[in-house]
Amino acid sequence: MNTKEMLSKFEETVSGYIRELDGVSLEQLLWKPAEDEWSLGQMHVHLINSAQFMHLRNVAMCLAPNGNPAVSSTGKTKPGEEVFGAGSFPPDRVQVPPSPQYTPPQPEGKEQLVDGLRDAVRRMTEIEPAVAAFDPVAQAISEPGKDTAFELVRNTVVHPRFGGLNALEWFQLIEMHYRHHLLQRKRLDDAWRAAHV
């Protein structure tokens, strides 16, 4: 899948999130099925913040490392190879213990989430042309040299589970991450309906 296709899939997924928010009350948005679980609103905040402050930041660092020590040529881990080989996360639930560093705050309202989701699409659209240089065809015709696709593809930033990811992989991870959380969205919707019958 090329970057334009990734971006198109991402836009489609985000459009679905925005459409579904329209039919959700503030009460449902902030409701948590259990104290140690996230609300629907927190899940959206997590998606927005991870794209804006981790994934897209890492895409930019891989493209223009400027001596940043976080950029290396580290390769992917076995789980990273598996996820990128499949083009998606496994359907398993990932649950991290609540902590101030990881647990997202509750949103102020739906408008904050819609704006954040749209901003993630805007930023993905802006950076896509630079990431497109990582297309295998562009790499094949690129010759070794400073700042060419051939050299930049080696720049990676380490993901805590997947190992070193280059700009294209960080870009692809955003779409896969948003798609994976559709499962959490369904669990939360089902739990809300069960608790409010």
Side-chain angles (χ1 to χ4, degrees):
M1 180 179 347
N2 67 37
T3 56
K4 294 238 182 274
E5 293 167 325
M6 289 176 204
L7 180 58
S8 178
K9 283 183 76 172
F10 179 68
E11 289 170 334
E12 184 180 316
T13 302
V14 168
S15 292
Y17 276 119
I18 291 171
R19 264 192 319 278
E20 290 171 352
L21 278 172
D22 197 38
V24 173
S25 68
L26 186 59
E27 179 187 4
Q28 182 181 355
L29 192 66
L30 303 178
W31 179 81
K32 294 165 53 169
E35 191 53 41
D36 64 341
E37 293 189 45
W38 292 354
S39 70
L40 188 59
Q42 286 174 296
M43 181 199 78
H44 284 81
V45 169
H46 164 73
L47 288 171
I48 294 162
N49 287 349
S50 62
Q52 299 278 22
F53 303 115
M54 180 184 181
H55 302 142
L56 287 165
R57 178 199 67 203
N58 291 343
V59 169
M61 274 198 295
C62 289
L63 292 171
N66 298 325
N68 189 316
V71 178
S72 68
S73 58
T74 303
K76 287 192 282 300
T77 60
K78 187 173 188 307
E81 292 290 350
E82 291 169 356
V83 164
F84 282 91
S88 66
F89 288 82
D92 307 327
R93 184 174 181 181
V94 177
Q95 200 163 10
V96 178
S99 71
Q101 301 90 328
Y102 191 75
T103 304
Q106 289 281 18
E108 296 169 15
K110 287 195 266 187
E111 186 176 323
Q112 172 195 358
L113 300 177
V114 170
D115 289 348
L117 290 166
R118 287 184 176 143
D119 195 45
V121 170
R122 180 191 60 76
R123 289 192 57 208
M124 288 276 287
T125 302
E126 287 173 355
I127 205 162
E128 184 276 331
V131 177
F134 286 83
D135 180 277
V137 174
Q139 289 179 36
I141 61 173
S142 177
E143 294 181 26
K146 188 172 175 18
D147 296 338
T148 65
F150 182 87
E151 294 298 321
L152 291 175
V153 77
R154 297 179 189 195
N155 293 339
T156 65
V157 175
V158 175
H159 181 280
R161 180 150 188 244
F162 302 139
L165 305 179
N166 65 31
L168 176 62
E169 292 160 336
W170 280 108
F171 187 84
Q172 183 180 5
L173 184 64
I174 299 168
E175 186 278 326
M176 292 191 304
H177 186 223
Y178 273 60
R179 193 167 17 105
H180 178 72
H181 275 279
L182 292 171
L183 298 170
Q184 183 180 11
R185 166 74 200 224
K186 182 177 179 346
R187 276 195 310 274
L188 288 166
D189 286 346
D190 291 348
W192 169 262
R193 278 194 291 282
H196 295 84
V197 187

